[in-house]
Amino acid sequence: MVGAGLAGTSAGLWAADTPFPDACRIVRRRLGGPAGWAGRRIAFITDVHYGNFFGPTDAAALNRLVRAQRPDLVAMGGDLAQTPDTDLAGFLAEWRPGCPTIFAPGNHDLGESTRGSVLRQARAGGMTILDNARETWNGLVLVGLPSALRRRQDLGLLDVPGLKLVLGHEPDVWPSYDQPDLFQLAGHTHGGQVRMLGRPLALPELGRRYPLGEYTTGKNRGLLVSAGIGCVDARLRVNCPPEIIVLEMT
């Protein structure tokens, strides 16, 4: 996604952001939900890429930042690991956010095969895995879909009434989620990781139409694309700092 030589090209023209954790920002967004969720918080993190420029020290820092937001739920949007067989022991030893964590797998978590060890490790570490699965917590419908680049997504899970909070890793699949009262949390793009003059330098497949930020339609549907936490190809971010999104439910 990013070439290592870009740092010198950007010097003096664009601000090189310090990678996680120093430059990490907290993005707050209000979202109307069921009455039982009023006043609660959901912390959304994605694209950690543990094992790729991200180790146990970074995991401890991420845990501290998330805990400081006092979330009632953590939603992980995929690519927790760099590969489907990455050893998550160092991450899980530090991960104590003080609330439940739900996790839907991204393309790096699944790799080319249908399953790796990442999902088994995350489940054993206490996370709730939503892999083509749906749960309802206190009136809020939570749907987790696997990476559309790796496997078929069961869109029938979206055919229920009420607000559906969807963890779907790739944002460009959003138009196919055509049910009303739906809000998708996505990552995958890293916001481009390097942005020049407000535009991403390069974007991955299924991440080119909706690269970063919030999008809405007239059918009470929303999409929020996070710049994510980690890096791919180079430990470098330019005008695109890592972020934790906090949904403040109203």
Side-chain angles (χ1 to χ4, degrees), residues 80-125:
L80 168 59
Q82 177 65 8
T83 74
D85 296 309
T86 295
D87 185 351
L88 291 179
F91 183 90
L92 295 172
E94 302 293 345
W95 187 245
R96 300 291 185 273
C99 66
T101 299
I102 60 172
F103 170 44
N107 54 303
H108 280 256
D109 302 312
L110 295 173
E112 297 295 340
S113 62
T114 57
R115 289 289 192 277
S117 68
V118 163
L119 300 188
R120 292 195 297 272
Q121 292 178 75
R123 184 178 289 108

Side-chain angles (χ1 to χ4, degrees), residues 67-238:
R67 284 188 71 99
Q69 307 313 310
R70 298 184 178 180
D72 297 280
L73 176 68
V74 174
M76 283 193 175
D79 286 0
L80 168 59
Q82 177 65 8
T83 74
D85 296 309
T86 295
D87 185 351
L88 291 179
F91 183 90
L92 295 172
E94 302 293 345
W95 187 245
R96 300 291 185 273
C99 66
T101 299
I102 60 172
F103 170 44
N107 54 303
H108 280 256
D109 302 312
L110 295 173
E112 297 295 340
S113 62
T114 57
R115 289 289 192 277
S117 68
V118 163
L119 300 188
R120 292 195 297 272
Q121 292 178 75
R123 184 178 289 108
M127 296 183 189
T128 296
I129 308 301
L130 294 183
D131 179 17
N132 269 335
R134 178 181 69 205
E135 293 194 5
T136 300
W137 291 16
N138 205 18
L140 178 63
V141 180
L142 303 166
V143 181
L145 302 173
S147 165
L149 289 170
R150 301 300 184 210
R151 290 200 282 113
R152 182 189 67 83
Q153 296 183 334
D154 183 0
L155 301 189
L157 294 168
L158 306 177
D159 291 329
V160 290
L163 176 64
K164 293 163 283 292
L165 193 64
V166 179
L167 292 178
H169 187 63
E170 293 91 2
D172 288 2
V173 187
W174 179 53
S176 65
Y177 306 159
D178 58 0
Q179 290 79 1
D181 298 317
L182 182 148
F183 196 81
Q184 180 189 353
L185 298 173
H188 184 55
T189 68
H190 294 233
Q193 199 166 306
V194 171
R195 298 177 67 87
M196 298 181 177
L197 301 178
R199 299 179 64 86
L201 192 66
L203 291 165
E205 184 181 359
L206 292 185
R208 295 167 185 153
R209 186 175 178 184
Y210 307 105
L212 181 66
E214 188 169 356
Y215 306 86
T216 59
T217 71
K219 294 192 293 184
N220 198 23
R221 293 168 56 249
L223 167 67
L224 189 58
V225 184
S226 172
I229 296 295
C231 296
V232 175
D233 296 339
R235 191 173 184 269
L236 170 71
R237 282 179 175 265
V238 177

Side-chain angles (χ1 to χ4, degrees), residues 11-29:
L13 296 175
W14 296 278
D17 301 314
T18 304
F20 187 86
D22 294 338
C24 188
R25 63 177 187 166
I26 308 298
V27 178
R28 302 186 185 278
R29 199 273 189 200

Side-chain angles (χ1 to χ4, degrees), residues 31-50:
L31 180 66
W37 279 85
R40 299 191 179 192
R41 298 187 187 95
I42 299 174
F44 174 56
I45 61 175
T46 188
D47 296 279
V48 172
H49 288 273
Y50 185 79

